[in-house]
Amino acid sequence: MVRRTDRKGETIRGERAINEAEAAVIRRIFTMAAEGASPIAIAKTLNGAKIPGPNGRAWQDTTIRGHAERGTGILRNELYTGVQVWNRMHYIKDPATGKRVSRMNPTTEWVREEVPHLRIIDQDLWDCVQERLAAVRIASGADKIDRAVFHERRRAKHVLTGKVFCGGCGGSFGAVGQDYLSCTAARKQGTCDNRRGIRRSELEILILDALRHQLMQPEHVAEFVTEYTAEYNRLNSERSAALASHKRELESVTRKLDGLIDAIAEGMRAPGLQQKLDTLEARKVELTRLIETAGISLPLLHPNLAETYRERVTDLHAALTREDGGTAALEAVRALIERVDVSPPDGDDPRSLPKIVLTGAIAAMVGLALEPGSRTSKAALCGAGVSGLFASSVMVVAGNRSHHDLRGLQGLAREIKLVAGEEFQQDLLFRAAA
Ligand SMILES: [Zn+2]
């Protein structure tokens, strides 16, 4: 590739040539837009025709529409009319993150270069599309949209914000308007079949109810506490065995060091002596540290965990519905929810609820049910020492009511899975994740 530099001395990357297949897709996009298709409709059509988008991914409306002020998006890209625009942006390093971020240059600093051999859209088609884009912008009141985005960002978070995913494609289940959630890919790209949404308020009620009544059933919690206690005791005896062995080794290392130091004091010099001294001293430091940190206290769980947990969630639920002081409660409830997946219901009955799977964060759940204000248990739960215990030990696998499959705890992840919806009353799954 030939490297040239522009008038500011920056390297021009990628000397361009027309890729005919891509050019055909671009012409199709402009033609559809000129005929009045919205960017969302265009994205859906292209995805429906299995035409790969930029970087091989599915088409998105934003890629097609772009941003008016920034002059981005396929429909606003002047390169397709044979004009290359340079120097639209400059890059600065964000001092907080160290990442390069783009900033717009004033339009007076933009540099336009005629590259007529790269034109793929004729002027009439371009003008027609630009008129349409401008008309849509005026009709929608773009400055009002900016204000709406600002408002959206400032608005208090909902309990489920950022936690709801599509059971069909794994993508986000985004908000439509004030009180409705549906699969973003199904709505905007047509790449997912999960077209059924759910009202946010309805989903919140289901999830809060599941947290209160399903996720910590007394019989499951009893099993959980039993398993946890067994694991707790096993770890404790492992720890005390290790502690005793470390103490014995420390005594021995200290004796050897003392012996060496005496020998050196009496004038003994031998090759490798210094190295031996260093090794022993390093081991002594290591053993001392191991012995000092061996005493991290783990929370012992009360058999009444389920009751305590339920009372707390009920309190939180009440706090959430109050006008004031809801923020702390909101964050506390959010911490209990790992994710919520929404899939289409089985069968075609339009009245049936989507299938809702709630994955709870068990460390947070157990933390919530521990004695309030007991700092040791709280610190221990949050501390690295215990998160390891949870990661390896908390998982219990249970089937439906008739079949309780209790597995060994080692190597299982810390998730509880609950199926809500039709089988809401029966199916409590403590799911083993790989
Ligand atoms: Zn989806």
Side-chain angles (χ1 to χ4, degrees):
M1 189 197 300
V2 185
R3 293 264 181 207
R4 289 197 296 140
T5 51
D6 66 14
R7 63 189 73 174
K8 290 204 147 184
E10 288 163 357
T11 303
I12 296 167
R13 272 160 305 192
E15 294 281 285
R16 293 172 190 272
I18 293 175
N19 171 327
E20 269 313 320
E22 283 173 17
V25 176
I26 300 295
R27 285 190 201 102
R28 184 168 171 190
I29 291 171
F30 272 85
T31 308
M32 281 191 276
E35 286 163 357
S38 71
I40 288 179
I42 296 173
K44 282 183 172 175
T45 305
L46 295 174
N47 290 328
K50 300 265 181 286
I51 294 168
N55 300 319
R57 287 196 293 265
W59 287 96
Q60 297 202 13
D61 59 318
T62 47
T63 316
I64 295 165
R65 182 191 300 113
H67 193 282
E69 268 84 43
R70 295 190 146 231
T72 55
I74 286 171
L75 293 177
R76 302 179 206 274
N77 190 340
E78 287 183 72
L79 184 63
Y80 302 139
T81 63
V83 176
Q84 174 89 67
V85 183
W86 303 103
N87 204 37
R88 232 174 24 190
M89 311 264 189
H90 65 278
Y91 293 88
I92 57 166
K93 208 173 193 181
D94 184 331
T97 63
K99 280 190 186 136
R100 259 162 55 97
V101 288
S102 65
R103 292 279 180 274
M104 286 276 289
N105 289 332
T107 42
T108 49
E109 287 184 19
W110 293 12
V111 179
R112 313 176 94 81
E113 185 188 351
E114 300 278 339
V115 282
H117 62 287
L118 294 182
R119 179 193 275 273
I120 54 176
I121 301 294
D122 67 49
Q123 198 60 40
D124 287 348
L125 181 55
W126 172 266
D127 291 343
C128 171
V129 168
Q130 300 315 307
E131 267 168 38
R132 279 199 173 272
L133 286 173
V136 167
R137 204 168 140 73
I138 289 160
S140 69
D143 63 334
K144 273 189 232 144
I145 288 177
D146 290 343
R147 253 182 280 140
V149 169
F150 181 67
H151 177 69
E152 179 88 9
R153 288 209 187 107
R154 296 233 353 221
R155 198 179 54 200
K157 247 189 289 183
H158 292 280
V159 172
L160 299 173
T161 301
K163 306 237 180 209
V164 189
F165 298 89
C166 171
C169 67
S172 77
F173 227 64
V176 189
Q178 288 290 314
D179 190 42
Y180 197 76
L181 300 170
S182 74
C183 171
T184 307
R187 195 170 67 245
K188 289 192 159 183
Q189 299 178 268
T191 49
C192 177
D193 293 333
N194 188 6
R195 278 181 279 274
R196 279 280 295 277
I198 186 166
R199 289 159 71 93
R200 187 210 307 276
S201 44
E202 199 178 350
L203 186 60
E204 275 178 11
I205 290 167
L206 280 172
I207 295 302
L208 285 171
D209 200 54
L211 283 174
R212 254 193 301 179
H213 300 295
Q214 314 297 131
L215 211 47
M216 278 202 153
Q217 298 255 36
E219 65 268 29
H220 295 299
V221 171
E223 287 161 3
F224 168 72
V225 170
T226 309
E227 293 292 313
Y228 179 94
T229 308
E231 179 68 5
Y232 172 91
N233 290 335
R234 194 188 62 74
L235 272 176
N236 261 1
S237 62
E238 234 175 46
R239 275 168 196 232
S240 41
L243 182 65
S245 134
H246 288 150
K247 280 182 173 165
R248 278 195 304 275
E249 194 189 342
L250 181 63
E251 278 172 28
S252 144
V253 166
T254 308
R255 263 198 314 276
K256 282 182 194 163
L257 263 175
D258 290 347
L260 271 180
I261 289 164
D262 287 348
I264 292 166
E266 283 160 20
M268 183 183 137
R269 291 281 182 274
L273 197 63
Q274 187 62 47
Q275 200 196 341
K276 196 163 187 196
L277 199 69
D278 290 346
T279 311
L280 283 169
E281 264 173 354
R283 184 62 185 156
K284 185 177 176 177
V285 170
E286 168 76 2
L287 286 167
T288 311
R289 191 187 60 79
L290 283 171
I291 290 162
E292 275 169 3
T293 55
I296 297 170
S297 66
L298 299 178
L300 244 185
L301 302 182
H302 195 273
N304 211 14
L305 189 74
E307 240 356 274
T308 324
Y309 169 85
R310 200 166 336 195
E311 281 165 19
R312 296 277 155 71
V313 177
T314 305
D315 291 349
L316 283 175
H317 187 220
L320 269 182
T321 49
R322 283 199 305 269
E323 283 290 313
D324 58 330
T327 324
L330 181 85
E331 286 308 323
V333 172
R334 281 174 59 77
L336 302 176
I337 302 165
E338 189 110 11
R339 61 185 286 147
V340 175
D341 294 271
V342 183
S343 311
D346 297 326
D348 302 325
D349 190 345
R351 288 162 307 173
S352 55
L353 269 178
K355 218 181 279 168
I356 299 156
V357 176
L358 163 65
T359 305
I362 197 164
M365 285 175 190
V366 173
L368 192 68
L370 289 169
E371 280 305 298
S374 120
R375 244 184 288 127
T376 33
S377 34
K378 209 170 175 190
L381 260 177
C382 303
V386 178
S387 66
L389 174 67
F390 273 110
S392 65
S393 73
V394 159
M395 230 23 240
V396 181
V397 179
N400 54 36
R401 268 191 304 196
S402 57
H403 174 64
H404 284 212
D405 171 22
L406 272 173
R407 284 209 198 145
L409 297 173
Q410 284 297 345
L412 298 171
R414 56 190 170 99
E415 285 183 343
I416 290 183
K417 198 171 189 180
L418 166 73
V419 179
E422 311 271 36
E423 317 80 1
F424 202 63
Q425 299 308 314
Q426 289 101 39
D427 278 355
L428 180 64
L429 301 169
F430 291 83
R431 188 186 55 147

